[in-house]
Amino acid sequence: MMFPLFVAPSQPVDPIQADRPSFSNGIGIEPKGRQVLEMGIRQTLSGDSTLHEFGDGMTLRVPFSNQLEFRLGVPSYAISRQTGSRFVGFEDANLGLKLQLKPSNGAKAPGFGLLLDTTVPTGSPDFRTKALQPEARLLVAFNPTDRLEIDANAGYLRPVESGFGYNRLEFSVAATLALRPDTSVFVDAYTLRPGSLKGPNADVFDFGITHLLGTENQVDLYAGLGLDHNPRDGFIGFGFAHRF
């Protein structure tokens, strides 16, 4: 039997970089060969309607390289209740790519990325859109300190409602502060212009906490509210991300 004369020390493993749960996406991409699955449960209140989503934008992220990843949005199972009505079924799937154009250089220079995706009309009749809904987002990430990260997004979306497509601009900014190496809190604000077909703009504020379970798992808890002075306009959710 032969024994090695030298054993190289194991390399430290960076913790998982989950995109959930804030609206703003970061530029981080996992190393090639390390996939990430993100999922959750969310309840949304809007006027007289209540929506439960089991999946909460469930996404499988598969890196092609250290700068490019493929994103598969797995349909969430949704239950929507309005006055006198109830709708149950799967939402549409989503396909996308995220490209890291330039990594962040700490406090010296921001990093940039690009996110391209679209819905695919695969959902149940009550939740399916009859056309693709493409979106493009510019991603900006800046780290003023070792504990603070600022993520900003600017995007264009082509939603479809009641068979009509329209143009929408999206802007968001999130600040994430590390309280400990395994625990962070975030605040996030975003605006959708317009918020719906022939509707007013939608302005939303959300906040939450994330916690690492080792290097391969993250759990999160978050909540948010619309800023249109409707007392019944908000959401709450929790989720999980796993790298494998």
Side-chain angles (χ1 to χ4, degrees):
M1 179 180 292
M2 297 180 62
F3 297 91
L5 299 179
F6 172 77
V7 178
S10 59
Q11 296 295 320
V13 178
D14 290 333
I16 182 175
Q17 300 181 69
D19 273 343
R20 62 167 298 118
S22 68
F23 181 86
S24 300
N25 276 276
I27 65 171
I29 293 178
E30 297 291 347
K32 185 178 179 181
R34 306 300 302 276
Q35 291 72 232
V36 173
L37 181 63
E38 305 181 4
M39 68 189 78
I41 297 176
R42 171 179 172 133
Q43 174 183 273
T44 302
L45 305 177
S46 180
D48 63 351
S49 67
T50 300
L51 174 66
H52 291 89
E53 293 169 287
F54 299 89
D56 187 17
M58 183 187 302
T59 302
L60 176 64
R61 300 167 51 201
V62 181
F64 291 153
S65 70
N66 291 341
Q67 288 78 41
L68 178 66
E69 73 175 20
F70 168 73
R71 302 163 68 92
L72 171 63
V74 181
S76 296
Y77 184 74
I79 302 174
S80 176
R81 293 184 176 90
Q82 299 177 1
T83 303
S85 301
R86 183 175 184 267
F87 306 98
V88 178
F90 287 95
E91 298 176 332
D92 285 342
N94 189 286
L95 298 175
L97 293 170
K98 183 164 74 168
L99 174 65
Q100 186 183 93
L101 301 173
K102 176 183 176 296
S104 173
N105 187 18
K108 296 180 180 180
F112 296 91
L114 186 64
L115 178 63
L116 304 173
D117 65 14
T118 182
T119 60
V120 181
T122 60
S124 303
D126 291 327
F127 297 97
R128 182 190 309 142
T129 56
K130 295 182 179 180
L132 302 178
Q133 298 184 105
E135 178 184 20
R137 281 200 218 181
L138 175 65
L139 316 176
V140 182
F142 181 59
N143 298 86
T145 72
D146 292 340
R147 298 175 57 198
L148 178 63
E149 179 174 337
I150 307 295
D151 294 302
N153 295 178
Y156 167 80
L157 177 65
R158 181 72 180 173
V160 177
E161 292 182 25
S162 303
F164 295 95
Y166 62 99
N167 300 317
R168 172 189 285 172
L169 297 178
E170 304 176 337
F171 303 96
S172 69
V173 60
T176 302
L177 177 66
L179 302 180
R180 306 187 324 188
D182 61 356
T183 304
S184 298
V185 293
F186 73 89
V187 293
D188 186 27
Y190 61 93
T191 181
L192 311 178
R193 297 176 175 269
S196 61
L197 178 65
K198 298 181 180 180
N201 297 334
D203 301 315
V204 181
F205 172 79
D206 64 302
F207 56 93
I209 185 170
T210 63
H211 180 71
L212 292 170
L213 302 175
T215 59
E216 308 303 314
N217 301 286
Q218 175 189 286
V219 293
D220 62 73
L221 177 66
Y222 68 97
L225 66 157
L227 303 180
D228 60 357
H229 307 293
N230 182 345
R232 203 173 187 275
D233 183 8
F235 53 86
I236 187 170
F238 63 91
F240 176 75
H242 172 65
R243 182 172 64 184
F244 57 97

